[in-house]
Amino acid sequence: MEIGIKSIIGVDVKGKTVLFRPDINSPIDSSGKIVNRNRLEKTVPTLKYLSDGGAKIAIIAHQGDTLDYQNLIPMREHAEILSELSGVKVDYIDDVAGDAAIAAIRNLKEGEAILLGNLRYLTEEVSTFEKDVKLTPQQMLNTYLVRRLGGEADIYVNDAFSAAHRNAPSMVAFEELMPSYAGPLFFKEYEALWRVMNCAEKPVVFVLGGAKISDAFGMMGKVLKDGVADKILAMGVTGVVMRLAEGKKIGKLYEKWLSDHDLTVFVDQAKELLRDYKDKFILPVDFAVEENGVRKEVNLDELPLDDKMFLDIGENSIAAFESAIAEAGTIFVNGPAGVYENPIFAEGTRRVWKAVAAAKGYSVIGGGDTVTAASKFVNVADIDYVCTAGGAMVRFLSGKTLPLIRAMSKAK
């Protein structure tokens, strides 16, 4: 597997100022506290390598976005957790690229690290700017972040494969200015997904759930057309939409919810997938609803239910999924089976995760909510690879060239 990107491992960083771009964007609770450390934990080896090598480390990273503004918070806790996990003292300054941030970078001594303020404080780093303005990496040299920090570092290191789909200055512009390298996490993420796409042991089973069905529909056609996936287990909202595409009425309340969230647009795409690859899908045959505060399961022939939202798969669906997972040579999972946060609707997700953790096949999971769900029901150490990526993972598996891959491949 050769991708033409240089690794930081083996590079002499002693005395060099390193601009280090990991992805430590983490799930938080209602009080703003971090509730899942997966990305922070996976950043530690690269941070320690740079510190042990005598680098002066300026860390740039983001938390939240315009699309999830409630998560756009200062990153002091991120620095504290990195310090705790790595043994490297990571200071924090709530300034991204102002005079205080630059002074802090210039005052770094060998082996020291500082996390600068949340990148998403900057307009040119938010996803809405990326979507509407569409700058090239060369044009990004004129952005505030790059103008301010571009002359302060000797080396740029990117370990943020999970943000590789972002065409943002912090991701793709510094490669135009200085020697640029990927960290070990970058290569692990790439290799795990490349293995699923190119040399996975058969049969390959994709288990796709959750409510963000654009992810599932973004990859299903590609992995089926290329023969990557032998079976797709459709659960969550994806499974419901696939049943709608067959012409099955599910009920006024659920259908209105799909319409209100602009998800009925995927029905026609689902029809095409079923027309061309019907034998590749295992779809839910029963669902769980809440009735008088308890779980009740209903079969397909009992639908439509006009006054119910079914937010989990039922026992027969779970059993079929467990069987397919047990027989798989490779398992890829993105998204939970249902609204697992509610105990009434947690059974499908719990059983699917236990099946994946117990499976003999090589297992890969990815996506923030996916990892959070897995952590709730199983020891994630029983999963062969836990990918930090969500959107980048989906686009990679959809066959799209990621902006970070392009930028790092042609780095200065």
Side-chain angles (χ1 to χ4, degrees), residues 22 32 69 94 97 132 140 296 306 365 400:
Y69 180 73
D94 202 30
D132 293 336
M140 290 177 193
K296 178 185 176 182
D306 288 335
I365 69 171
K400 298 176 181 176

Side-chain angles (χ1 to χ4, degrees), residues 251-283:
K252 293 179 181 177
L253 184 62
Y254 204 128
E255 289 176 26
K256 181 180 185 303
W257 182 86
L258 290 170
S259 178
D260 289 347
H261 289 80
D262 298 322
L263 299 178
T264 53
V265 298
F266 293 101
V267 172
D268 285 342
Q269 190 174 342
K271 288 179 180 178
E272 293 180 8
L273 290 169
L274 290 171
R275 181 195 66 207
D276 297 336
Y277 307 105
K278 187 175 179 63
D279 64 325
K280 299 289 187 180
F281 284 92
I282 300 178
L283 303 181

Side-chain angles (χ1 to χ4, degrees), residues 350-368:
R350 184 183 71 81
R351 295 263 298 277
V352 166
W353 280 118
K354 285 189 173 296
V356 172
K360 295 179 181 178
Y362 178 76
S363 53
V364 177
I365 69 171

